[in-house]
Amino acid sequence: MLDNMDVNMMKQAVEMINGSCESEASGGITRDMLKEIASTGVTFISVGALTHSAENIDLSLKAVK
């Protein structure tokens, strides 16, 4: 888990991991940062803003006759 790291630190961590396990970047990641973070070589990118910043919509499961 590469949490709240800047891009340079993520690159260094991925080099240290050297394929021995999967890695995940997380913490403060926005959509604008995805390409740059993906270029570090991390296996996964976690973007919490996708869920906690999403707009609400009204969905109803009420049956209509």
Side-chain angles (χ1 to χ4, degrees), residues 60-64:
S60 175
L61 299 175
K62 294 178 184 176
V64 178

Side-chain angles (χ1 to χ4, degrees), residues 5-56:
M5 293 183 178
D6 62 38
V7 174
N8 289 329
M9 190 177 286
M10 280 184 210
K11 285 180 186 177
Q12 291 176 1
V14 169
E15 288 174 11
M16 290 173 68
I17 292 168
N18 194 28
S20 63
C21 62
E22 295 177 331
S23 58
E24 178 180 352
S26 67
I29 296 172
T30 64
R31 196 165 80 179
D32 296 335
M33 302 166 69
L34 291 176
K35 284 185 182 180
E36 187 175 18
I37 292 173
S39 74
T40 66
V42 295
T43 313
F44 303 102
I45 302 173
S46 177
V47 183
L50 294 174
T51 55
H52 64 70
S53 297
E55 292 184 27
N56 294 328

